[in-house]
Amino acid sequence: MSDIVLQQKKENQNTTAPAIRAYLGGSFDPVHNGHLQMAMYVYQHLFPIAKQQQRALQVSLLPNARSPFKDKSTNPEHRLAMLKRATQESPLQISELELWQTPPVYTIDSVRTLRQRYPNDRLIFIMGMDSARSLDKWKDGLRLTDYVDLWIFNRGGSSAHKNNLLNMGENLVEDESTTQAIADLQSQLQVQLPIQLQSKMIHSPTELVTPATPTQADNKVLQSTHQGRIYIDARPVLAISSTQLRQQLHKTAHRVNILPAAETQITSIPSINDIISNNAPNSFAKWLNPAVYQYIIAHQLYSAAQFR
């Protein structure tokens, strides 16, 4: 276990203030580095704030039983096993709140459960802009902010300002030009949100963990003074989806003419050493944790044989 995880667990034992809990939901079929990058961005920004305020911090991946928008998902045991391998050397945690429920399981029901479970804690739900712009099509999607704040990433988005942000990475110290580029991009993205949510946007993630002073009218809408705000993170994240990875893995398996025998399948797929040394832009090493890739090989997931 990493030193930072042990340090946080020790500090959390001595904290009494309401915790900060952030959740990244998804099928994680399979979990990839884009997922981990978003969750770690949130963790790295909130960790010093939580430490200063002597508050426990948990950033968790929240795998679903099966997305209501999908016909099927890989067995939950496999997805959980991949998540454990992907997060074993990180401070990220895994919440099994949805995983074992009978699908479909809706996000609105999960955030209600979390609010009931942690009535005094700051709750943040992490998502990509591709999901956020379609919240009006989710079951009660526009009511998510009644229970949690939203931290939205411009995943896979394009912008004239994107190149100005590429060197920013995890560095939160910005010069004047970068600050303006971020503000411009946030304004462009704000109008992509459902119109009912646009007024909830803030410009600093610190505001997500700072108590608000809502008006009396706001109190009629919000479940508590801690919910109802939206932060759009302009930092670029890896533009990859689990669907694209499944397709690439399937194509790779088909291209090497995998046979039904398990030992043939495992030896036919490129080894982890091969893909790590591969500098091609679409190398699996760029998208998948090595332990996750090895698990996929060992269990013949997403292979051509799986679809026969």
Side-chain angles (χ1 to χ4, degrees), residues 229-245:
R229 288 173 286 186
I230 298 173
Y231 171 66
I232 297 178
D233 196 323
R235 287 172 294 184
V237 294
L238 291 175
I240 188 66
S241 72
S242 295
T243 299
Q244 291 172 310
L245 276 175

Side-chain angles (χ1 to χ4, degrees), residues 94-148:
I94 302 169
S95 170
E96 299 180 32
L97 173 65
E98 297 184 353
L99 191 61
W100 309 110
Q101 297 184 50
T102 302
V105 178
Y106 296 97
T107 301
I108 187 64
D109 297 324
S110 297
V111 298
R112 284 178 181 141
T113 298
L114 290 170
R115 175 49 56 202
Q116 292 170 357
R117 185 176 295 178
Y118 307 113
N120 299 317
D121 292 349
R122 174 72 63 183
L123 301 183
I124 300 169
F125 199 81
I126 309 164
M127 64 174 61
M129 178 55 76
D130 52 334
S131 296
R133 66 169 61 98
S134 64
L135 280 175
D136 54 349
K137 297 178 176 61
W138 293 26
K139 178 186 177 182
D140 292 335
L142 299 178
R143 296 193 59 196
L144 290 182
T145 50
D146 290 356
Y147 304 93
V148 296

Side-chain angles (χ1 to χ4, degrees), residues 156-186:
S158 60
S159 168
H161 300 285
K162 188 171 182 180
N163 290 336
N164 295 333
L165 304 177
L166 289 176
N167 295 324
M168 184 176 171
E170 298 172 3
N171 182 7
L172 296 175
V173 179
E174 308 155 16
D175 58 23
E176 184 176 350
S177 62
T178 302
T179 300
Q180 186 58 51
I182 291 172
D184 291 347
L185 181 54
Q186 286 177 327

Side-chain angles (χ1 to χ4, degrees), residues 131-294:
S131 296
R133 66 169 61 98
S134 64
L135 280 175
D136 54 349
K137 297 178 176 61
W138 293 26
K139 178 186 177 182
D140 292 335
L142 299 178
R143 296 193 59 196
L144 290 182
T145 50
D146 290 356
Y147 304 93
V148 296
D149 296 315
L150 301 182
W151 188 314
I152 300 172
F153 283 92
N154 186 28
R155 183 173 62 183
S158 60
S159 168
H161 300 285
K162 188 171 182 180
N163 290 336
N164 295 333
L165 304 177
L166 289 176
N167 295 324
M168 184 176 171
E170 298 172 3
N171 182 7
L172 296 175
V173 179
E174 308 155 16
D175 58 23
E176 184 176 350
S177 62
T178 302
T179 300
Q180 186 58 51
I182 291 172
D184 291 347
L185 181 54
Q186 286 177 327
S187 297
Q188 292 176 17
L189 294 171
Q190 180 180 9
V191 298
Q192 296 183 29
L193 294 173
I195 192 169
Q196 300 92 326
L197 298 179
Q198 292 179 16
S199 63
K200 298 178 181 293
M201 182 175 158
I202 58 175
H203 293 280
S204 168
T206 304
E207 296 180 56
L208 292 181
V209 292
T210 302
T213 54
T215 64
Q216 184 176 2
D218 290 334
N219 276 323
K220 296 178 182 178
V221 178
L222 304 182
Q223 298 298 312
S224 79
T225 59
H226 297 290
Q227 275 65 65
R229 288 173 286 186
I230 298 173
Y231 171 66
I232 297 178
D233 196 323
R235 287 172 294 184
V237 294
L238 291 175
I240 188 66
S241 72
S242 295
T243 299
Q244 291 172 310
L245 276 175
R246 290 196 302 272
Q247 292 171 347
Q248 288 297 321
L249 287 161
H250 177 72
K251 288 179 181 177
T252 300
H254 181 74
R255 186 167 58 249
V256 298
N257 193 26
I258 295 176
L259 298 176
E263 62 273 14
T264 305
Q265 292 185 6
I266 293 173
T267 57
S268 298
I269 300 178
S271 70
I272 193 66
N273 290 331
D274 290 339
I275 64 168
I276 287 177
S277 62
N278 181 5
N279 294 320
N282 61 348
S283 168
F284 289 127
K286 182 178 180 180
W287 310 119
L288 292 172
N289 178 290
V292 172
Y293 186 77
Q294 290 282 37

